[in-house]
Amino acid sequence: MASKSKLAQKKQATSAKKINFYLIGIPVFAFFIKLIIMANIKGTDGGVLGGWLGADGENYLSGVDGLLQQGYFSDKSILSYWPAGYPILIWILTKISLAHVIYLIAFTQSIFYAYASYYFVKQLRGTRLQPYMFLIGLALAFNPTLSLSSLAVGYESPIAACMLMVVGLIMKSRQSGHDRQFVLRVLSVGFFSALASFMQPRWILTSLVIAAFWALITKGRKAQALILVGVIGVMTLAPAIMMQRNIKSIDKAVISTNLGVTMRIGAGDETQGGYARTGPDIPCEPTPPATATTDNDVVKCVIKWYASHPGKSIRLFINKAWFYWTPWSGPLGNGTMARNPWLKVNPIVNIAKGSQSGNDLVYKSVGRGISFFWVIGCISLFFMGFFWLRSMKGIYANLAYASFIPVVISWLVAMGTIGDHRFRIPTMTLSVFLQVMGYFALRHRLKTGSFAVALESSGQAR
């Protein structure tokens, strides 16, 4: 009996070492691959640049130029038209090195993404999701577009990492209860929510919903109050900082002034809802006594147009919902991902460019059919993973909702503004996680003939 016990302990120790090895090894290995890639990204002068410009890279760097020339309260228009948060973070990195700031951006974003992936997957250790950790870790570390986005100048990858940290911290709290670290976790969720909102104010809404959800699944009035006050209180510092900056720099109490523009692009009688709009703009007159149309005026005009054109609005909402999940390239791709680093080596892109027959294969009936089923598959796996994880009850249902909510909010925001597949990246870490769970749900269905799972006891499921 003693020998059997020792054998079991040895087996458990070996298994624990194996789990720890790939838990740490996968994101670290992916990070070192990125370092090699960074060393081979050259600038126009032949020197090491270390990263690429994202879709709006020049605009962010233009904002940084304004900060370098005029300081924190620069009145450069790009810093109020778009949120100033991401350029401010880059500006801080220029204090380390201006000449190598692109390299510093890629390095900082990549190491943040690697740690966030590790932290999130770590929370699955010791749960019934432990057997799936390896594939989840691989998907997060080596999904080409998601992972390589950390090498591009853009807010998408840092926010994707913030989402992993927020959900990971909530899961850690659910597993540990109200221990001594509870307050620290609340403040940390508030910090990462603030960081995401600082770069992209759309995350204010996501942060509010996630804080409310976390409070609802937490026992105890004091703990619920602490979550709401702590998360929302810390998070609101981000928009407050940007608003205060704009009051002093341009004398306007705004976070940014581009919401109306983006909403207007995605609406209209003749347009399809994507970034490449067609047809005339929605007419909008300034509110008297003003003589110039403000961003708020445009937002109101677009909302009124949707309300007065329900049939056309529904068509546009459906189009934009579809565009959100479209492939990065090919006949159905719709969005602003032309600078996606993955497209530099994507074999499908190379096939299309290689010959006329290759172009026909990718962009005509065969390519359109494959792209269509690719979108259907992505959406199906996402929902399948959510419902399967939710069916496990307890902390697994909590994890399902915590991962599902940010993606759906981002999806709905895209439907209200522009149908752009680039909007998928900030929550892609969570959608990929649920899609991997959807894959395991399918495997379970094929193996057992049912999606039903054996439930843990209430103590195990917490």
Side-chain angles (χ1 to χ4, degrees):
M1 290 293 289
S3 61
K4 286 184 179 180
S5 177
K6 287 181 179 180
L7 188 63
Q9 289 176 356
K10 186 177 180 181
K11 190 175 180 180
Q12 284 182 339
T14 303
S15 177
K17 286 181 181 178
K18 184 178 178 182
I19 290 169
N20 287 332
F21 175 75
Y22 64 67
L23 175 64
I24 298 171
I26 291 174
V28 168
F29 182 56
F31 175 68
F32 278 113
I33 290 176
K34 289 182 185 181
L35 290 180
I36 295 171
I37 295 172
M38 287 163 60
N40 287 278
I41 301 174
K42 307 294 184 180
T44 53
D45 61 354
V48 175
L49 188 62
W52 294 289
L53 292 178
D56 299 314
E58 290 94 343
N59 293 307
Y60 292 126
L61 295 182
S62 175
V64 175
D65 285 340
L67 293 167
L68 288 169
Q69 293 166 13
Q70 297 177 293
Y72 177 72
F73 293 107
S74 168
D75 61 0
K76 193 162 188 176
S77 61
I78 198 72
L79 293 170
S80 54
Y81 176 71
W82 278 343
Y86 189 67
I88 289 172
L89 295 175
I90 298 174
W91 177 56
I92 292 170
L93 288 178
T94 64
K95 306 300 181 182
I96 300 172
S97 173
L98 178 58
H100 300 98
V101 69
I102 303 294
Y103 189 97
L104 284 172
I105 293 168
F107 180 87
T108 304
Q109 292 182 167
S110 294
I111 202 164
F112 179 33
Y113 184 82
Y115 178 77
S117 301
Y118 156 78
Y119 187 84
F120 176 82
V121 177
K122 182 183 177 184
Q123 308 316 314
L124 309 181
R125 186 173 57 184
T127 71
R128 69 185 305 164
L129 302 186
Q130 182 169 302
Y132 313 138
M133 285 172 56
F134 180 73
L135 189 56
I136 293 168
L138 280 179
L140 292 175
F142 293 104
N143 178 287
T145 293
L146 180 57
S147 187
L148 289 175
S149 290
S150 69
L151 303 183
V153 178
Y155 67 81
E156 291 83 4
S157 178
I159 293 183
C162 286
M163 292 298 99
L164 285 178
M165 292 302 302
V166 166
V167 176
L169 284 161
I170 291 173
M171 291 312 300
K172 180 65 175 177
S173 176
R174 295 291 295 137
Q175 292 171 313
S176 303
H178 303 162
D179 60 8
R180 294 179 180 179
Q181 300 297 314
F182 180 68
V183 174
L184 179 60
R185 291 188 196 104
V186 169
L187 295 177
S188 296
V189 169
F191 169 77
F192 289 112
S193 298
L195 183 58
S197 300
F198 192 61
M199 292 182 280
Q200 179 49 260
R202 287 198 301 267
W203 259 257
I204 295 172
L205 174 61
T206 302
S207 300
L208 292 173
V209 176
I210 285 293
F213 166 74
W214 187 14
L216 286 172
I217 63 174
T218 301
K219 293 180 180 179
R221 293 290 178 87
K222 288 184 179 180
Q224 290 175 333
L226 177 61
I227 289 170
L228 291 173
V229 173
V231 174
I232 296 174
V234 174
M235 181 276 295
T236 52
L237 290 175
I241 289 170
M242 286 189 286
M243 193 174 292
Q244 185 271 340
R245 196 206 78 86
N246 286 337
I247 289 172
K248 185 145 187 183
S249 60
I250 61 170
D251 198 27
K252 289 182 180 179
V254 296
I255 298 173
S256 62
T257 58
N258 71 332
L259 177 59
V261 174
T262 55
M263 289 180 68
R264 202 177 200 176
I265 290 172
D269 290 306
E270 299 176 25
T271 193
Q272 297 301 308
Y275 190 81
R277 70 161 289 115
T278 54
D281 283 336
I282 291 173
C284 192
E285 298 298 327
T287 303
T291 56
T293 305
T294 66
D295 187 59
N296 287 337
D297 290 333
V298 177
V299 170
K300 292 174 185 176
C301 289
V302 174
I303 292 173
K304 287 179 182 177
W305 185 89
Y306 280 131
S308 59
H309 298 79
K312 293 176 182 178
S313 299
I314 291 171
R315 176 183 63 83
L316 285 174
F317 291 149
I318 292 172
N319 284 351
K320 289 187 276 190
W322 176 265
F323 294 159
Y324 182 86
W325 292 96
T326 54
W328 308 119
S329 63
L332 300 186
N334 199 303
T336 52
M337 285 295 287
R339 287 180 172 175
N340 181 355
W342 166 234
L343 299 185
K344 298 177 185 296
V345 292
N346 187 334
I348 295 173
V349 174
N350 293 332
I351 290 170
K353 290 180 177 178
S355 64
Q356 185 58 49
S357 61
N359 187 273
D360 291 344
L361 178 67
V362 171
Y363 283 94
K364 291 190 176 179
S365 56
V366 173
R368 292 184 71 84
I370 293 172
S371 295
F372 175 82
F373 286 108
W374 187 90
V375 176
I376 295 297
C378 285
I379 297 173
S380 299
L381 285 174
F382 170 69
F383 281 104
M384 204 177 297
F386 165 69
F387 285 115
W388 194 58
L389 192 57
R390 191 186 68 165
S391 71
M392 298 181 191
K393 309 294 184 183
I395 61 169
Y396 308 107
N398 298 159
L399 177 57
Y401 280 108
S403 303
F404 183 77
I405 289 170
V407 180
V408 171
I409 291 175
S410 180
W411 195 3
L412 291 172
V413 168
M415 291 166 64
T417 52
I418 307 172
D420 189 338
H421 52 200
R422 180 162 62 99
F423 289 177
R424 189 164 85 243
I425 296 179
T427 56
M428 196 173 166
T429 42
L430 304 180
S431 61
V432 164
F433 162 66
L434 288 176
Q435 285 165 343
V436 173
M437 294 308 301
Y439 161 75
F440 283 115
L442 275 179
R443 277 186 51 179
H444 182 81
R445 173 70 174 78
L446 293 172
K447 186 177 179 181
T448 66
S450 170
F451 284 114
V453 291
L455 299 179
E456 294 179 344
S457 65
S458 59
Q460 289 175 305
R462 294 175 176 84

